[in-house]
Amino acid sequence: MAVQPVVYGSSDRPPRGNYAIAADDYTCDQDWGAISVEQHALFERLFQRQIRQMPGHACDEFIHALARLGMETRIPRFEEISRKLRRATGWEIVAVPGLIPERPFFSLLANRRFPVTVWLREPHEFDYIVEPDVFHDLFGHVPLLFNPVFADYMQAFGAGGLKAEGLNALEYLARLYWYTVEFGLLTTRDGLRVYGAGILSSGGETVHALTSDTPQRLGFDLERVMRTPYRIDDYQDTYFVIRSFAQLFDATAPDFTQLYTRVAALDTLPLNARLRGELTYSPNPLDPDATTGDQS
Ligand code: HBI
Ligand code: FE
């Protein structure tokens, strides 16, 4: 069925992916048998580049779950992952042609079904890709769905999204998703760690987000996040830091209606605004032998 998929970022470029194969809920078949040897090899190269950067940068919960997924050398069958995931947190992954509109996206999350894009980037896109591909979704997003508290947060986010529909608040939720699920940082007794999928699947941003003194790192605050726009075509100017996944889940438990009204009455802030009295975090000291992932 020809559907008008969501366009990510720019209005003049149709999203990638074959939406003609999508069902009404935008899910499709993974067609694992159609994946070429070259595509499995490209996925393996992406995986090997990122896994080298994880120790000392990704949060422990991510690293422990990744080891259980068995996708070091090829693109896994989604059903294989779902079988493990159902046992852990009741989630499963479903194949989608690519980015899908907000409502079906929220609806899938609310039902503990994470949409994983079926297409893989081309070799020349090894270092940078605008839209999420199967590597971004599988490597970046799926491991933390094995963490019960984060898995509950993702379902609550989906349910919240469905409620926000009529409240003209999708932009605020997109910012919340962006600054947590995609680009979130976590403070630990060993320093800052990454939990955001957009960082963990990026060749250069994993080390940058933790050690560069260019961006600012602010303590997570729901209203502040919802007032802060983001850029999709470069490293972030601002990262938000949580103390725990429980803090994230608790912060988003209450009904957002009043919060949306408050945020709508306030100005949208510039990308790197600094408000008085904000909690800020220093970058991690540079790890002398940190692989930046650029030696790919
Ligand atoms: N669709 N497949 C897919 N993956 C996403 O991460 C995604 C999406 N559609 C909308 C969307 N993300 C964002 O607008 C969220 O903030 C809702
Ligand atoms: Fe993503």
Side-chain angles (χ1 to χ4, degrees):
M1 63 181 259
V3 288
Q4 180 48 43
V6 68
V7 178
Y8 218 67
S10 79
S11 54
D12 57 357
R13 179 177 33 80
R16 290 168 69 162
N18 174 9
Y19 290 83
I21 60 170
D24 286 350
D25 62 358
Y26 282 83
T27 59
C28 63
D29 291 333
Q30 178 187 11
D31 197 2
W32 189 81
I35 301 173
S36 69
V37 171
E38 293 75 17
Q39 286 176 312
H40 283 300
L42 176 59
F43 186 93
E44 180 182 13
R45 278 181 58 222
L46 285 161
F47 188 98
Q48 294 310 323
R49 177 188 63 185
Q50 292 310 109
I51 194 71
R52 283 201 299 266
Q53 305 181 50
M54 295 299 107
H57 298 114
C59 63
D60 290 344
E61 296 81 350
F62 177 88
I63 292 178
H64 296 151
L66 191 63
R68 299 167 57 180
L69 289 177
M71 52 184 184
E72 289 76 2
T73 59
R74 58 174 175 67
I75 297 172
R77 293 172 194 272
F78 287 5
E79 185 42 41
E80 262 174 38
I81 303 290
S82 289
R83 210 169 4 82
K84 297 174 186 173
L85 199 46
R86 280 189 205 101
R87 278 203 302 272
T89 55
W91 275 80
E92 60 183 18
I93 62 175
V94 288
V96 291
L99 289 170
I100 62 177
E102 258 85 359
R103 180 159 188 77
F105 180 71
F106 290 135
S107 180
L108 287 171
L109 296 189
N111 290 289
R112 292 189 173 244
R113 304 176 79 205
F114 188 81
V116 175
T117 297
V118 290
W119 59 264
L120 176 69
R121 70 191 73 186
E122 299 296 329
H124 71 271
E125 298 172 296
F126 189 77
D127 284 327
Y128 181 68
I129 190 157
V130 179
E131 291 179 36
D133 70 340
V134 66
F135 179 77
H136 165 84
D137 283 338
L138 279 180
F139 185 94
H141 284 290
V142 170
L144 277 183
L145 292 173
F146 280 82
N147 175 275
V149 181
F150 188 81
D152 287 349
Y153 168 67
M154 287 292 278
Q155 180 180 22
F157 179 85
L162 293 175
K163 282 195 295 193
E165 194 93 45
L167 301 172
N168 189 24
L170 293 187
E171 183 186 4
Y172 303 140
L173 276 181
R175 290 171 179 172
L176 175 60
Y177 191 82
W178 189 267
Y179 282 117
T180 57
V181 180
E182 295 294 356
F183 289 91
L185 301 182
L186 172 73
T187 182
T188 76
R189 63 175 173 281
D190 303 321
L192 295 177
R193 291 293 181 270
V194 180
Y195 73 92
I199 306 176
L200 292 167
S201 57
S202 154
E205 195 158 3
T206 300
V207 175
H208 172 87
L210 294 179
T211 60
S212 167
D213 51 19
T214 312
Q216 59 180 357
R217 298 166 183 85
L218 305 177
F220 175 83
D221 172 280
L222 201 47
E223 183 176 298
R224 179 63 159 89
V225 166
M226 290 192 173
R227 295 183 62 196
T228 309
Y230 55 85
R231 53 192 320 171
I232 69 163
D233 55 359
D234 198 350
Y235 291 165
Q236 300 306 304
D237 297 275
T238 299
Y239 295 98
F240 286 91
V241 181
I242 60 173
R243 295 186 302 277
S244 68
F245 293 135
Q247 179 206 3
L248 187 57
F249 180 76
D250 295 346
T252 56
D255 179 82
F256 281 0
T257 309
Q258 280 83 355
L259 174 61
Y260 293 147
T261 310
R262 244 190 1 261
V263 172
L266 296 166
D267 296 337
T268 297
L269 295 167
L271 279 168
N272 51 8
R274 176 63 68 81
L275 303 183
R276 229 188 348 274
E278 286 195 308
L279 170 64
T280 59
Y281 288 81
S282 308
N284 287 351
L286 250 183
D287 171 0
D289 57 1
T291 54
T292 60
D294 295 337
Q295 307 102 16
S296 40

